[in-house]
Amino acid sequence: MEKEDIITLEDNTEYMVLDTALLNQEKYLYCVRIDEEEKPTSEYKYFKEINENNELFTEEVEDEVVIETITSMFAADYLNSVTDEEQDV
């Protein structure tokens, strides 16, 4: 799964992937829930991508240590991209 991909959960809620990160050879997704009109809501979640027999699944991240680590990774990535954009101006 990549940025801007849409994930549909079993309960039919949909999330858009905002960013991805690798931690210990596992892929994590930072996502925002989207409404029926595909507009972002104020609900954000982290998911872990699981590849079983070439089928992709997601699992919500609930481990606080992992959440803390990937939050830092996503924040650093965002700050780096903002800094790069400012230097391009």
Side-chain angles (χ1 to χ4, degrees):
M1 290 175 224
E2 301 301 324
K3 289 181 183 179
E4 298 186 16
D5 283 354
I6 304 295
I7 299 168
T8 304
L9 303 183
E10 289 178 0
D11 64 359
N12 288 324
T13 56
E14 293 185 321
Y15 288 82
M16 179 189 299
V17 178
L18 298 175
D19 205 353
T20 63
L22 287 175
L23 174 66
N24 298 326
Q25 299 179 350
E26 302 276 1
K27 188 173 187 178
Y28 291 91
L29 313 169
Y30 176 49
C31 301
V32 62
R33 184 175 178 184
I34 55 175
D35 63 19
E36 307 81 34
E37 297 163 6
E38 296 191 6
K39 293 189 176 167
T41 67
S42 60
E43 186 179 335
Y44 296 84
K45 289 191 178 185
Y46 295 114
F47 294 99
K48 181 169 110 175
E49 182 180 280
I50 300 168
N51 188 337
E52 290 181 6
N53 302 322
N54 291 326
E55 287 192 53
L56 295 178
F57 300 93
T58 58
E59 175 180 280
E60 187 175 348
V61 179
E62 296 180 4
D63 182 323
E64 289 299 322
V65 173
V66 172
I67 290 172
E68 226 176 272
T69 303
I70 60 177
T71 298
S72 296
M73 292 171 67
F74 287 124
D77 187 44
Y78 175 74
L79 291 174
N80 285 336
S81 70
V82 169
T83 302
D84 290 345
E85 287 175 13
E86 287 177 356
Q87 290 176 355
D88 288 343
V89 175

XYZ file of all heavy atoms in Angstrom:
741
model
N 0.829 -1.167 0.000
C 0.000 0.000 0.000
C 0.886 1.247 0.000
O 1.931 1.267 0.625
C -0.910 -0.018 1.215
C -1.975 -1.092 1.111
S -2.946 -1.204 2.595
C -2.981 -2.991 2.729
N 0.416 2.240 -0.693
C 1.196 3.456 -0.854
C 0.356 4.676 -0.464
O -0.843 4.571 -0.242
C 1.666 3.589 -2.308
C 2.516 2.424 -2.798
C 3.788 2.191 -1.997
O 4.400 3.196 -1.559
O 4.167 1.030 -1.804
N 1.014 5.835 -0.424
C 0.311 7.080 -0.116
C -0.879 7.267 -1.051
O -0.793 6.959 -2.237
C 1.252 8.278 -0.253
C 2.299 8.348 0.822
C 3.170 9.569 0.617
C 4.284 9.613 1.641
N 5.148 10.775 1.451
N -1.965 7.747 -0.478
C -3.218 8.045 -1.158
C -4.051 6.819 -1.510
O -5.146 6.953 -2.051
C -3.011 8.945 -2.380
C -2.432 10.294 -2.007
C -2.358 11.256 -3.168
O -3.007 11.018 -4.205
O -1.640 12.262 -3.032
N -3.560 5.608 -1.205
C -4.384 4.409 -1.373
C -5.523 4.470 -0.358
O -5.384 5.059 0.716
C -3.578 3.131 -1.134
C -2.673 2.766 -2.303
O -2.747 3.437 -3.352
O -1.890 1.814 -2.157
N -6.649 3.848 -0.692
C -7.800 3.788 0.198
C -7.905 2.373 0.763
O -7.846 1.394 0.016
C -9.112 4.144 -0.541
C -9.012 5.517 -1.203
C -10.304 4.036 0.401
C -8.871 6.680 -0.251
N -8.063 2.300 2.080
C -8.228 1.026 2.773
C -9.675 0.956 3.253
O -10.167 1.896 3.879
C -7.305 0.942 3.997
C -5.843 1.042 3.579
C -7.554 -0.338 4.780
C -4.909 1.251 4.758
N -10.342 -0.146 2.967
C -11.705 -0.351 3.466
C -11.658 -1.446 4.525
O -11.233 -2.576 4.239
C -12.664 -0.762 2.326
O -12.614 0.235 1.306
C -14.085 -0.907 2.841
N -12.086 -1.106 5.728
C -12.087 -2.072 6.825
C -13.331 -2.955 6.754
O -14.251 -2.699 5.979
C -12.029 -1.345 8.168
C -10.836 -0.410 8.375
C -10.878 0.188 9.775
C -9.518 -1.126 8.139
N -13.348 -3.989 7.594
C -14.471 -4.927 7.601
C -15.805 -4.241 7.881
O -16.846 -4.681 7.401
C -14.225 -6.032 8.625
C -13.131 -6.986 8.211
C -12.857 -8.053 9.256
O -13.517 -8.061 10.314
O -11.977 -8.886 9.000
N -15.787 -3.158 8.656
C -17.029 -2.448 8.974
C -17.368 -1.387 7.920
O -18.227 -0.534 8.127
C -16.957 -1.821 10.364
C -15.891 -0.740 10.467
O -15.179 -0.470 9.471
O -15.765 -0.154 11.558
N -16.669 -1.442 6.775
C -16.867 -0.545 5.630
C -16.407 0.891 5.859
O -16.699 1.759 5.038
C -18.309 -0.575 5.127
C -18.610 -1.869 4.413
O -17.757 -2.424 3.729
N -19.814 -2.368 4.594
N -15.697 1.168 6.950
C -15.090 2.490 7.085
C -13.873 2.529 6.175
O -13.211 1.519 5.950
C -14.680 2.809 8.536
O -13.800 1.793 8.998
C -15.882 2.911 9.449
N -13.616 3.719 5.659
C -12.508 3.864 4.723
C -11.466 4.830 5.269
O -11.802 5.844 5.888
C -13.013 4.361 3.365
C -13.875 3.350 2.659
C -14.270 3.793 1.269
O -14.552 5.000 1.074
O -14.289 2.939 0.371
N -10.218 4.498 5.010
C -9.082 5.312 5.428
C -8.180 5.547 4.231
O -7.978 4.650 3.411
C -8.276 4.612 6.531
C -8.983 4.595 7.860
C -9.951 3.648 8.142
C -8.691 5.551 8.825
C -10.616 3.647 9.356
C -9.350 5.554 10.045
C -10.309 4.595 10.296
O -10.963 4.612 11.501
N -7.628 6.765 4.153
C -6.651 7.079 3.124
C -5.260 7.048 3.746
O -5.056 7.585 4.838
C -6.888 8.464 2.523
C -5.840 8.807 1.460
S -5.898 10.519 0.899
C -7.525 10.592 0.213
N -4.327 6.422 3.056
C -2.949 6.351 3.534
C -2.293 7.711 3.309
O -2.232 8.196 2.179
C -2.158 5.236 2.811
C -0.718 5.204 3.281
C -2.835 3.876 3.000
N -1.811 8.314 4.389
C -1.125 9.605 4.309
C 0.384 9.441 4.195
O 1.053 10.256 3.570
C -1.457 10.456 5.533
C -2.920 10.815 5.721
C -3.110 11.549 7.038
C -3.415 11.658 4.562
N 0.904 8.392 4.833
C 2.347 8.177 4.822
C 2.626 6.730 5.184
O 1.780 6.046 5.775
C 3.039 9.116 5.820
C 4.489 9.388 5.454
O 5.019 8.763 4.504
O 5.106 10.245 6.117
N 3.821 6.265 4.840
C 4.248 4.909 5.173
C 5.633 4.972 5.803
O 6.396 5.915 5.567
C 4.308 4.008 3.921
O 5.297 4.524 3.020
C 2.960 3.915 3.230
N 5.943 3.957 6.624
C 7.258 3.880 7.261
C 7.615 2.420 7.482
O 6.736 1.572 7.672
C 7.257 4.622 8.592
N 8.912 2.148 7.457
C 9.403 0.802 7.755
C 10.056 0.794 9.128
O 10.860 1.673 9.437
C 10.421 0.352 6.714
C 9.880 -0.019 5.353
C 11.031 -0.320 4.384
C 8.943 -1.209 5.435
N 9.683 -0.196 9.930
C 10.264 -0.380 11.255
C 10.446 -1.867 11.470
O 9.473 -2.631 11.393
C 9.341 0.213 12.335
C 9.756 -0.023 13.784
C 11.066 0.711 14.085
C 8.664 0.436 14.729
N 11.686 -2.277 11.697
C 11.995 -3.707 11.895
C 11.431 -4.564 10.761
O 10.840 -5.616 10.990
C 11.467 -4.198 13.252
C 12.103 -3.469 14.401
O 13.268 -3.084 14.346
N 11.337 -3.252 15.443
N 11.614 -4.102 9.555
C 11.180 -4.777 8.332
C 9.665 -4.978 8.258
O 9.176 -5.833 7.534
C 11.923 -6.107 8.151
C 13.415 -5.905 8.027
C 14.178 -7.196 7.879
O 13.628 -8.278 8.049
N 15.442 -7.094 7.557
N 8.913 -4.169 9.003
C 7.456 -4.173 8.952
C 7.027 -2.821 8.387
O 7.620 -1.789 8.710
C 6.846 -4.336 10.344
C 7.271 -5.580 11.061
C 6.438 -6.817 10.687
O 5.521 -6.717 9.847
O 6.717 -7.865 11.250
N 5.989 -2.820 7.555
C 5.498 -1.578 6.961
C 4.313 -1.070 7.767
O 3.363 -1.797 8.041
C 5.083 -1.809 5.505
C 4.752 -0.530 4.774
C 4.526 -0.817 3.291
C 4.370 0.454 2.495
N 4.211 0.173 1.065
N 4.390 0.225 8.132
C 3.331 0.868 8.902
C 2.719 1.991 8.079
O 3.402 2.638 7.287
C 3.880 1.405 10.226
C 4.250 0.292 11.164
C 5.543 -0.235 11.175
C 3.300 -0.260 12.019
C 5.869 -1.276 12.022
C 3.631 -1.301 12.879
C 4.912 -1.803 12.871
O 5.234 -2.848 13.702
N 1.424 2.211 8.295
C 0.668 3.199 7.537
C 0.051 4.216 8.483
O -0.524 3.843 9.506
C -0.455 2.510 6.762
C -0.081 1.237 5.985
C -1.333 0.526 5.511
C 0.827 1.564 4.826
N 0.177 5.475 8.147
C -0.467 6.556 8.885
C -1.666 6.961 8.035
O -1.515 7.361 6.882
C 0.505 7.718 9.065
C -0.070 8.930 9.735
C -0.792 8.830 10.920
C 0.121 10.193 9.191
C -1.314 9.962 11.531
C -0.395 11.326 9.804
C -1.111 11.200 10.978
O -1.629 12.319 11.589
N -2.872 6.830 8.596
C -4.090 6.984 7.798
C -5.089 7.937 8.434
O -5.118 8.104 9.653
C -4.770 5.623 7.645
S -3.740 4.374 6.865
N -5.925 8.524 7.578
C -7.032 9.365 8.023
C -8.327 8.738 7.506
O -8.388 8.255 6.371
C -6.893 10.825 7.533
C -6.899 10.917 6.016
C -7.976 11.697 8.136
N -9.331 8.733 8.373
C -10.634 8.222 7.954
C -11.258 9.215 6.986
O -11.146 10.428 7.170
C -11.544 8.029 9.162
C -12.875 7.420 8.787
C -13.705 7.141 10.013
N -14.981 6.607 9.569
C -15.974 6.315 10.368
N -15.847 6.506 11.670
N -17.095 5.838 9.900
N -11.905 8.690 5.955
C -12.603 9.556 5.003
C -14.103 9.269 5.075
O -14.525 8.153 5.372
C -12.058 9.402 3.567
C -12.103 7.951 3.103
C -10.650 9.961 3.456
C -11.701 7.749 1.652
N -14.893 10.302 4.805
C -16.345 10.153 4.866
C -16.891 9.666 3.523
O -16.128 9.346 2.610
C -17.010 11.446 5.338
C -16.796 12.614 4.388
O -16.460 12.402 3.204
O -16.974 13.760 4.834
N -18.222 9.630 3.429
C -18.883 9.128 2.211
C -18.513 9.938 0.978
O -18.576 9.439 -0.144
C -20.414 9.157 2.380
C -20.944 8.458 3.602
C -20.848 9.323 4.867
O -20.995 10.567 4.819
O -20.579 8.743 5.927
N -18.158 11.195 1.180
C -17.785 12.062 0.059
C -16.274 12.063 -0.174
O -15.753 12.908 -0.893
C -18.286 13.481 0.334
C -19.796 13.549 0.419
C -20.289 14.821 1.093
O -19.473 15.708 1.406
O -21.504 14.912 1.306
N -15.590 11.117 0.480
C -14.137 10.963 0.387
C -13.376 12.178 0.891
O -12.280 12.487 0.425
C -13.712 10.573 -1.031
C -14.249 9.217 -1.442
C -13.650 8.683 -2.724
O -12.720 9.298 -3.270
O -14.118 7.625 -3.167
N -13.965 12.866 1.873
C -13.292 13.995 2.511
C -12.701 13.515 3.833
O -13.300 12.691 4.539
C -14.279 15.132 2.755
C -14.758 15.739 1.467
C -15.546 16.983 1.723
C -15.897 17.561 0.461
N -16.426 18.235 -0.273
N -11.525 14.016 4.196
C -10.894 13.579 5.447
C -11.694 14.018 6.676
O -12.299 15.085 6.690
C -9.524 14.242 5.428
C -9.518 15.188 4.293
C -10.724 14.955 3.454
N -11.692 13.157 7.681
C -12.319 13.464 8.961
C -11.210 13.802 9.956
O -10.047 13.932 9.571
C -13.138 12.263 9.481
O -12.232 11.196 9.793
C -14.161 11.795 8.453
N -11.551 13.897 11.223
C -10.536 14.184 12.249
C -10.045 12.911 12.930
O -9.401 12.969 13.970
C -11.105 15.147 13.284
O -12.234 14.564 13.900
N -10.331 11.757 12.341
C -9.930 10.472 12.927
C -8.706 9.919 12.199
O -8.755 9.663 10.995
C -11.088 9.473 12.843
C -10.801 8.172 13.552
C -11.979 7.208 13.488
O -13.132 7.665 13.331
O -11.736 6.020 13.588
N -7.634 9.735 12.943
C -6.379 9.221 12.393
C -6.021 7.912 13.090
O -6.257 7.762 14.284
C -5.244 10.224 12.601
C -5.463 11.514 11.843
C -6.249 12.533 12.380
C -4.899 11.701 10.590
C -6.465 13.714 11.687
C -5.109 12.882 9.883
C -5.889 13.882 10.441
O -6.099 15.044 9.748
N -5.436 6.983 12.331
C -5.020 5.700 12.916
C -3.734 5.233 12.261
O -3.408 5.616 11.138
C -6.094 4.630 12.707
C -7.330 4.833 13.540
C -8.226 3.621 13.486
C -9.441 3.874 14.384
N -10.296 2.713 14.477
N -3.043 4.356 12.990
C -1.870 3.667 12.462
C -2.251 2.219 12.194
O -2.907 1.576 13.020
C -0.720 3.688 13.465
C -0.189 5.065 13.759
C -0.330 5.630 15.017
C 0.479 5.789 12.789
C 0.173 6.882 15.303
C 0.984 7.053 13.064
C 0.827 7.586 14.320
O 1.323 8.836 14.599
N -1.821 1.726 11.040
C -2.047 0.334 10.689
C -0.720 -0.310 10.313
O 0.194 0.367 9.832
C -3.004 0.208 9.491
C -4.395 0.677 9.776
C -4.799 1.947 9.392
C -5.309 -0.137 10.417
C -6.090 2.397 9.647
C -6.603 0.292 10.676
C -6.992 1.558 10.290
N -0.648 -1.611 10.535
C 0.496 -2.391 10.084
C 0.046 -3.167 8.861
O -1.040 -3.758 8.857
C 0.952 -3.354 11.180
C 2.160 -4.194 10.797
C 2.712 -4.905 12.014
C 2.451 -6.368 11.913
N 3.059 -7.136 13.008
N 0.864 -3.142 7.806
C 0.551 -3.887 6.596
C 1.012 -5.327 6.777
O 2.131 -5.580 7.209
C 1.265 -3.254 5.396
C 0.959 -3.936 4.080
C 1.680 -3.288 2.929
O 1.212 -2.240 2.445
O 2.733 -3.824 2.539
N 0.138 -6.257 6.446
C 0.450 -7.680 6.562
C 0.286 -8.302 5.187
O -0.760 -8.155 4.552
C -0.482 -8.371 7.584
C -0.306 -7.718 8.951
C -0.213 -9.871 7.635
C -1.350 -8.092 9.961
N 1.319 -9.010 4.733
C 1.290 -9.667 3.435
C 1.261 -11.172 3.676
O 2.255 -11.759 4.102
C 2.513 -9.259 2.613
C 2.446 -9.766 1.190
O 1.756 -10.733 0.881
N 3.178 -9.112 0.308
N 0.114 -11.786 3.406
C -0.032 -13.232 3.542
C -0.379 -13.817 2.181
O -1.414 -13.485 1.611
C -1.140 -13.588 4.544
C -0.791 -13.273 5.967
C -1.898 -13.664 6.930
O -2.902 -14.279 6.513
O -1.755 -13.341 8.115
N 0.499 -14.672 1.676
C 0.283 -15.318 0.377
C -0.037 -14.302 -0.717
O -0.957 -14.481 -1.510
C -0.841 -16.362 0.469
C -0.544 -17.416 1.507
O 0.591 -17.850 1.664
N -1.561 -17.816 2.243
N 0.726 -13.209 -0.719
C 0.577 -12.128 -1.697
C -0.762 -11.401 -1.606
O -1.180 -10.754 -2.554
C 0.827 -12.627 -3.119
C 2.278 -12.985 -3.330
O 3.173 -12.353 -2.774
N 2.522 -14.024 -4.118
N -1.449 -11.504 -0.479
C -2.656 -10.721 -0.226
C -2.338 -9.745 0.894
O -1.748 -10.113 1.902
C -3.822 -11.620 0.189
C -4.400 -12.424 -0.960
C -5.713 -13.074 -0.575
O -6.610 -12.353 -0.099
O -5.817 -14.293 -0.743
N -2.730 -8.477 0.698
C -2.436 -7.455 1.692
C -3.607 -7.264 2.651
O -4.758 -7.180 2.234
C -2.120 -6.123 1.006
C -0.857 -6.104 0.157
C -0.694 -4.746 -0.511
C 0.370 -6.431 0.990
N -3.265 -7.206 3.925
C -4.231 -6.969 4.984
C -3.671 -5.866 5.877
O -2.486 -5.564 5.831
C -4.442 -8.226 5.840
C -4.938 -9.408 5.068
C -4.049 -10.337 4.542
C -6.296 -9.593 4.866
C -4.508 -11.433 3.832
C -6.764 -10.680 4.155
C -5.874 -11.607 3.634
N -4.529 -5.283 6.697
C -4.052 -4.320 7.677
C -4.523 -4.727 9.057
O -5.524 -5.413 9.219
C -4.577 -2.897 7.380
O -5.999 -2.932 7.367
C -4.036 -2.366 6.076
N -3.736 -4.281 10.026
C -4.062 -4.527 11.427
C -3.787 -3.234 12.172
O -2.727 -2.639 12.008
C -3.147 -5.646 11.936
C -3.261 -5.965 13.391
C -2.300 -7.095 13.758
O -2.631 -8.260 13.501
O -1.199 -6.779 14.275
N -4.751 -2.777 12.962
C -4.556 -1.537 13.702
C -3.444 -1.716 14.726
O -3.365 -2.735 15.407
C -5.846 -1.115 14.403
C -5.724 0.247 15.036
C -7.029 0.753 15.628
O -8.098 0.160 15.373
O -6.967 1.761 16.355
N -2.576 -0.716 14.815
C -1.468 -0.750 15.767
C -1.989 -0.292 17.127
O -2.565 0.794 17.239
C -0.301 0.154 15.313
C 0.828 0.133 16.325
C 0.192 -0.274 13.940
N -1.784 -1.125 18.141
C -2.241 -0.783 19.490
C -1.099 -0.759 20.501
O -1.275 -0.258 21.606
C -3.335 -1.753 19.925
C -4.572 -1.632 19.052
C -5.694 -2.570 19.441
O -5.563 -3.284 20.454
O -6.708 -2.590 18.726
N 0.076 -1.269 20.110
C 1.242 -1.295 20.991
C 1.771 0.130 21.154
O 2.216 0.755 20.188
C 2.316 -2.208 20.385
C 3.549 -2.346 21.246
O 3.967 -1.352 21.880
O 4.115 -3.456 21.274
N 1.717 0.646 22.387
C 2.106 2.043 22.645
C 3.563 2.330 22.283
O 3.884 3.429 21.822
C 1.843 2.404 24.111
C 0.371 2.527 24.449
C -0.352 3.604 23.660
O 0.230 4.672 23.420
O -1.510 3.368 23.277
N 4.450 1.366 22.467
C 5.865 1.566 22.130
C 6.014 1.726 20.618
O 6.723 2.619 20.144
C 6.734 0.403 22.659
C 8.169 0.518 22.178
C 6.673 0.347 24.180
N 5.326 0.890 19.870
C 5.381 0.989 18.405
C 4.759 2.306 17.951
O 5.312 3.003 17.097
C 4.675 -0.215 17.736
C 4.564 -0.020 16.227
C 5.407 -1.509 18.055
N 3.620 2.675 18.543
C 2.959 3.937 18.180
C 3.894 5.115 18.429
O 4.027 6.006 17.579
C 1.626 4.109 18.947
C 0.607 3.105 18.415
C 1.109 5.538 18.831
C -0.687 3.053 19.211
N 4.560 5.122 19.572
C 5.490 6.210 19.890
C 6.619 6.282 18.864
O 6.976 7.357 18.388
C 6.083 5.963 21.284
C 6.102 7.178 22.169
C 6.598 6.819 23.556
O 5.758 6.432 24.393
O 7.815 6.929 23.774
N 7.163 5.128 18.524
C 8.284 5.069 17.579
C 7.871 5.535 16.190
O 8.539 6.377 15.587
C 8.852 3.637 17.507
O 9.235 3.234 18.826
C 10.047 3.560 16.579
N 6.754 5.015 15.687
C 6.371 5.398 14.326
C 5.844 6.830 14.264
O 6.008 7.493 13.243
C 5.396 4.384 13.670
C 4.106 4.237 14.462
C 6.074 3.051 13.460
C 3.081 3.302 13.826
N 5.264 7.319 15.363
C 4.854 8.725 15.404
C 6.080 9.617 15.213
O 6.048 10.583 14.442
C 4.138 9.062 16.729
O 2.959 8.273 16.825
C 3.774 10.539 16.810
N 7.161 9.282 15.896
C 8.409 10.043 15.747
C 8.944 9.952 14.325
O 9.416 10.940 13.765
C 9.464 9.525 16.723
O 9.049 9.744 18.037
N 8.846 8.769 13.739
C 9.335 8.581 12.370
C 8.516 9.415 11.378
O 9.079 10.085 10.507
C 9.276 7.095 11.987
C 10.250 6.229 12.753
S 9.988 4.465 12.464
C 10.437 4.324 10.734
N 7.190 9.376 11.508
C 6.343 10.148 10.606
C 6.566 11.646 10.797
O 6.601 12.400 9.836
C 4.866 9.798 10.803
C 4.490 8.438 10.250
C 3.893 7.488 11.061
C 4.713 8.118 8.922
C 3.534 6.245 10.557
C 4.362 6.878 8.407
C 3.766 5.942 9.233
N 6.729 12.086 12.043
C 6.969 13.509 12.317
C 8.296 13.956 11.707
O 8.375 15.019 11.079
C 6.951 13.775 13.822
N 9.337 13.154 11.873
C 10.647 13.495 11.306
C 10.580 13.551 9.787
O 11.136 14.461 9.161
C 11.692 12.479 11.764
N 9.875 12.600 9.191
C 9.726 12.582 7.739
C 8.990 13.838 7.259
O 9.375 14.465 6.281
C 8.967 11.321 7.307
C 8.916 11.158 5.804
O 9.951 11.357 5.138
O 7.820 10.833 5.290
N 7.936 14.212 7.976
C 7.174 15.411 7.619
C 8.046 16.663 7.742
O 8.063 17.509 6.845
C 5.934 15.543 8.507
C 5.192 16.823 8.261
C 4.423 16.997 7.116
C 5.282 17.885 9.159
C 3.752 18.186 6.875
C 4.609 19.072 8.921
C 3.856 19.219 7.786
O 3.201 20.403 7.540
N 8.791 16.775 8.846
C 9.650 17.941 9.043
C 10.722 18.022 7.964
O 11.041 19.108 7.476
C 10.280 17.920 10.437
C 9.300 18.159 11.587
C 9.997 17.960 12.927
C 8.680 19.543 11.503
N 11.267 16.879 7.581
C 12.265 16.867 6.505
C 11.655 17.324 5.189
O 12.270 18.074 4.439
C 12.877 15.468 6.334
C 13.849 15.137 7.435
O 14.416 16.022 8.078
N 14.039 13.860 7.682
N 10.430 16.898 4.900
C 9.807 17.295 3.629
C 9.478 18.788 3.629
O 9.627 19.463 2.612
C 8.552 16.470 3.361
O 7.510 16.793 4.243
N 9.059 19.324 4.768
C 8.766 20.762 4.863
C 10.052 21.561 4.698
O 10.084 22.554 3.992
C 8.063 21.091 6.207
C 8.006 22.592 6.436
C 6.672 20.486 6.223
N 11.110 21.116 5.337
C 12.408 21.801 5.234
C 12.892 21.783 3.795
O 13.384 22.791 3.290
C 13.439 21.144 6.160
O 12.936 21.179 7.506
C 14.773 21.854 6.110
N 12.754 20.640 3.118
C 13.169 20.531 1.721
C 12.362 21.482 0.835
O 12.916 22.128 -0.050
C 13.016 19.098 1.205
C 14.027 18.148 1.813
O 15.021 18.632 2.401
O 13.827 16.928 1.710
N 11.063 21.584 1.085
C 10.212 22.489 0.290
C 10.623 23.936 0.519
O 10.648 24.721 -0.424
C 8.739 22.291 0.657
C 8.157 21.005 0.125
C 6.723 20.781 0.608
O 6.112 21.720 1.138
O 6.240 19.650 0.448
N 10.945 24.315 1.763
C 11.340 25.688 2.052
C 12.651 26.025 1.352
O 12.841 27.139 0.883
C 11.490 25.882 3.559
C 10.169 25.924 4.290
C 10.324 26.039 5.801
O 11.469 26.013 6.295
O 9.293 26.124 6.478
N 13.551 25.061 1.233
C 14.828 25.305 0.594
C 14.672 25.430 -0.927
O 15.475 26.059 -1.586
C 15.829 24.201 0.932
C 16.256 24.248 2.372
C 17.175 23.118 2.757
O 17.435 22.216 1.973
N 17.667 23.148 3.980
N 13.602 24.830 -1.469
C 13.362 24.904 -2.908
C 12.793 26.258 -3.332
O 12.805 26.599 -4.497
C 12.377 23.806 -3.339
C 13.008 22.422 -3.291
O 14.251 22.347 -3.251
O 12.254 21.424 -3.275
N 12.317 27.048 -2.379
C 11.678 28.334 -2.711
C 12.703 29.387 -3.054
O 13.763 29.491 -2.680
C 10.802 28.814 -1.524
C 10.242 30.195 -1.814
C 9.698 27.823 -1.288
